[in-house]
Amino acid sequence: ENLLKNYPNYQQNLLFIQVALPDTVFFRECVRSEIRVIVKRINDKFGTKEHSPVMYIERKITFEERVAIYSVSDIFFLTPIRDGLNLIPYEYIVSANEGKGQLILSEFTGCSNSLSGAVRINPWNIEEVSRALDKVLQNDPERIKLKHATDFKFVSEHTTKEWAESFLMDLKKTPESTNRMTKLGLGFGLTFQIVQKEISSRINFEEFSQFYGKVKKRLFLVDYEENFGLNGFRSNQNQKIQEKFLGSINFHMEILSRDPKNIIFVISGRTRDILHFNFNPVKFLGVSAENGFFYRFQRKKNWNKINDSIDLSWIPIAFEIMRSYTIRTDGSFVEEKATGLVWYFGDSDPEFGYWQAKEMFDHLEGVLGIFEVRINWGNNCIQVEKKISNKKKIIKKIFNFFKEELSPNLAIYIGNKEIDEKTFGIIKQSSPENLKPPNDSKWEHRKFFFRDPKEAMNFFGSASLGSFRNSVDNWSILNSENYKNKQTRLKLPNLS
């Protein structure tokens, strides 16, 4: 009605076919009466004896009739305010005759993002809907042909069979098949997860403590932010949680690192400055920044590079894209690294932030396709880094560095669920021959999982307690000023 009012040239040239299927859905009689009244009003106001702008069909139509309507229609117009996977637009695309096949879809339609040739509109905005109809009706034949060809290619290639096969392939790629499921905590805080597969068993702290004391040399490799960090958050509330965890983890790291039997190495994707700030209280801690590109073996040692030759010409391009999304996504920010960029959206609206992240991910993939880079989804963030990871190199370097000197016969890697499954394989390949548990095959190549950061902290508490008993020097830690106020002293840097 708004279209015919604002664009009078369509009053005698446009036919709108509305099909209602009252037998297939629950409806109220008052709704049907209201629709009939609106149809009559439009036809009386803009129609003539020879032409009615709206053809209203209120009955069940056959599949043949539906395809016939598709084939003669120039535009398919679908504007639900809530929808799941609607296959009707797919039917229209494959049924439309040559020179037809244009789509106008509500942004709330499940398939609107899949069909790139469709015009997406907000059905609540009547003026926007009218303008979209006029614009699509004015498209030239070449543009219509191009848009229809794009959507037809997608629909014909993404068949039910193809979807089922890809789904089964994804299932095959999972690290380990299992029928057990564990429900985890809900919410948008530190432990936001809904359901997690049990790809490994939970660790028994009592058994581990007994085994821990038998081992002569131990190597700890810890993925820091995925286990103890708050990726994507910068609000005051989350900074306080971060400070509490930082104080606790530094306390345990200091005790563990003072045990001569232990080697502690943190592997992180964060920058050198952030890691130096966070772990500065721990003297004998090895740290790897930016996923292995920079590393140092102790606090007083200089930072080393794993590789000097690297193409970073793509960073300014990616930064401009991230900056544009930061401007329109409240609560998001960009972290600049020497070898990459990370866009965090943990403090933004959960739904809008994720939607913006998805849009930006596709944008980055399209623009950076010519560069040797990798675009990854992280925990409330999107990372762009070079395609060849340094994680494998740094793990091998760590093993080689300590192989002759200390010869660890127990390596403990704490990673991030399925993401680090490859890293477990790297450790298995890189580890020296003497990396075997002493007289206890039960612990060889075992995998465990922590349900949340608190449980990971309990693990470190159990390990540090075992080291504490073996080192009189650790009594000095309890009396040091650095740790008396460990929960309030540390603050996060401003990552603007």
Side-chain angles (χ1 to χ4, degrees):
E1 185 175 11
N2 193 63
L3 174 74
L4 298 177
K5 177 184 175 182
N6 294 335
Y7 304 90
N9 55 307
Y10 293 127
Q11 291 178 7
Q12 304 302 314
N13 301 315
L14 185 69
L15 176 63
F16 183 84
I17 304 173
Q18 174 68 59
V19 180
L21 305 174
D23 295 336
T24 60
V25 295
F26 173 79
F27 67 95
R28 295 182 180 181
E29 188 61 38
C30 62
V31 175
R32 178 160 63 180
S33 300
E34 185 180 354
I35 294 172
R36 288 172 177 174
V37 169
I38 294 173
V39 171
K40 186 177 185 304
R41 183 177 72 225
I42 295 173
N43 285 335
D44 291 345
K45 187 175 180 179
F46 301 106
T48 63
K49 291 182 179 180
E50 293 78 23
H51 175 72
S52 295
V54 180
M55 177 187 290
Y56 181 55
I57 302 173
E58 194 182 273
R59 63 174 176 84
K60 187 176 180 180
I61 62 174
T62 65
F63 177 74
E64 289 75 14
E65 288 176 310
R66 192 161 80 238
V67 173
I69 294 173
Y70 293 154
S71 64
V72 297
S73 299
D74 294 284
I75 300 170
F76 185 80
F77 184 58
L78 186 67
T79 58
I81 58 174
R82 184 175 296 177
D83 196 12
L85 179 60
N86 194 323
L87 297 179
I88 298 297
Y90 291 72
E91 292 181 357
Y92 170 71
I93 287 297
V94 298
S95 304
N97 286 333
E98 188 175 349
K100 304 181 187 299
Q102 299 189 86
L103 286 171
I104 299 177
L105 300 177
S106 162
E107 62 186 21
F108 307 116
T109 307
C111 62
S112 64
N113 287 322
S114 302
L115 301 170
S116 59
V119 174
R120 300 172 71 232
I121 49 97
N122 178 3
W124 295 104
N125 190 333
I126 297 175
E127 293 297 329
E128 180 187 338
V129 174
S130 299
R131 288 195 299 269
L133 280 164
D134 176 57
K135 182 180 178 181
V136 171
L137 287 165
Q138 299 299 326
N139 278 339
D140 61 84
E142 280 300 315
R143 185 172 177 79
I144 294 171
K145 184 177 179 181
L146 180 64
K147 281 178 166 288
H148 179 257
T150 302
D151 288 338
F152 185 85
K153 184 174 184 292
F154 178 85
V155 174
S156 57
E157 290 180 354
H158 292 75
T159 61
T160 306
K161 180 183 177 183
E162 194 273 341
W163 176 85
E165 287 176 348
S166 65
F167 185 78
L168 292 172
M169 286 299 295
D170 287 342
L171 285 177
K172 286 181 180 179
K173 290 177 183 177
T174 53
E176 241 178 272
S177 60
T178 177
N179 295 322
R180 294 178 298 163
M181 303 293 284
T182 299
K183 292 184 178 180
L184 302 180
L186 299 176
F188 296 104
L190 190 66
T191 58
F192 172 60
Q193 290 190 49
I194 300 174
V195 172
Q196 174 181 301
K197 282 188 190 179
E198 290 188 10
I199 62 169
S200 50
S201 57
R202 293 181 68 191
I203 192 166
N204 184 307
F205 290 116
E206 187 177 344
E207 288 183 6
F208 173 75
S209 295
Q210 295 173 1
F211 170 68
Y212 181 85
K214 301 175 185 176
V215 181
K216 295 179 180 179
K217 298 293 181 184
R218 319 174 190 102
L219 172 62
F220 289 81
L221 299 173
V222 184
D223 188 321
Y224 162 63
E225 63 266 15
E226 297 296 351
N227 293 288
F228 306 108
L230 283 167
N231 272 2
F233 295 100
R234 197 169 56 174
S235 64
N236 291 333
Q237 179 184 357
N238 287 298
Q239 281 195 21
K240 289 178 182 177
I241 301 173
Q242 175 83 39
E243 291 166 13
K244 178 181 177 181
F245 269 78
L246 267 176
S248 298
I249 191 62
N250 281 341
F251 181 76
H252 293 310
M253 289 286 192
E254 180 72 10
I255 293 176
L256 289 170
S257 64
R258 287 187 178 225
D259 186 339
K261 293 183 178 181
N262 292 338
I263 306 155
I264 317 292
F265 215 96
V266 169
I267 300 175
S268 172
R270 307 308 291 271
T271 64
R272 288 169 289 174
D273 290 342
I274 292 175
L275 293 177
H276 177 78
F277 186 91
N278 287 350
F279 294 108
N280 189 51
V282 187
K283 182 179 179 181
F284 301 107
L285 180 69
V287 181
S288 168
E290 301 194 23
N291 289 321
F293 190 80
F294 297 103
Y295 65 93
R296 70 182 185 190
F297 288 101
Q298 286 186 17
R299 184 177 66 187
K300 292 184 179 180
K301 301 289 184 181
N302 294 326
W303 289 97
N304 300 302
K305 287 184 183 179
I306 201 85
N307 187 1
D308 287 320
S309 57
I310 178 174
D311 177 22
L312 300 174
S313 59
W314 53 270
I315 286 184
I317 302 170
F319 179 79
E320 285 304 314
I321 294 173
M322 288 185 172
R323 189 173 68 86
S324 66
Y325 281 88
T326 302
I327 291 170
R328 58 178 185 259
T329 310
D330 186 39
S332 65
F333 63 95
V334 180
E335 180 183 328
E336 296 181 68
K337 302 180 181 181
T339 59
L341 297 168
V342 187
W343 188 73
Y344 294 101
F345 57 94
D347 281 328
S348 60
D349 175 79
E351 186 175 344
F352 181 72
Y354 178 78
W355 180 69
Q356 286 288 79
K358 191 171 182 293
E359 291 283 324
M360 188 178 74
F361 186 90
D362 295 337
H363 192 170
L364 289 168
E365 275 196 328
V367 174
L368 301 179
I370 60 173
F371 296 98
E372 291 294 317
V373 298
R374 181 174 54 192
I375 306 166
N376 297 323
W377 279 93
N379 181 16
N380 295 303
C381 68
I382 289 180
Q383 307 172 42
V384 186
E385 57 189 3
K386 68 186 189 70
K387 189 169 284 186
I388 300 174
S389 174
N390 291 306
K391 205 172 228 183
K392 183 175 182 178
K393 291 181 181 179
I394 191 61
I395 289 173
K396 284 188 174 181
K397 183 171 279 293
I398 291 169
F399 273 114
N400 289 333
F401 185 83
F402 293 111
K403 184 176 179 181
E404 301 298 330
E405 238 181 280
L406 301 176
S407 299
N409 55 13
L410 171 65
I412 300 171
Y413 180 78
I414 302 177
N416 179 32
K417 297 171 289 190
E418 289 90 344
I419 294 173
D420 275 327
E421 283 298 313
K422 289 183 180 178
T423 310
F424 288 122
I426 294 169
I427 290 174
K428 196 173 177 180
Q429 295 169 11
S430 306
S431 57
E433 293 181 1
N434 63 332
L435 181 57
K436 294 206 179 271
N439 305 320
D440 201 336
S441 60
K442 171 185 175 182
W443 293 89
E444 188 171 348
H445 300 310
R446 287 290 302 277
K447 293 181 183 180
F448 304 95
F449 75 90
F450 302 131
R451 300 181 72 173
D452 51 37
K454 185 178 179 181
E455 195 164 87
M457 192 66 69
N458 290 339
F459 167 79
F460 276 96
S462 177
S464 63
L465 181 61
S467 289
F468 185 86
R469 290 167 177 162
N470 298 326
S471 177
V472 179
D473 268 352
N474 282 320
W475 284 106
S476 61
I477 300 173
L478 296 179
N479 297 318
S480 88
E481 291 298 324
N482 286 341
Y483 294 98
K484 284 182 178 179
N485 301 314
K486 64 180 184 296
Q487 293 185 9
T488 57
R489 186 178 58 81
L490 294 172
K491 292 183 179 178
L492 284 176
N494 187 353
L495 304 178
S496 57

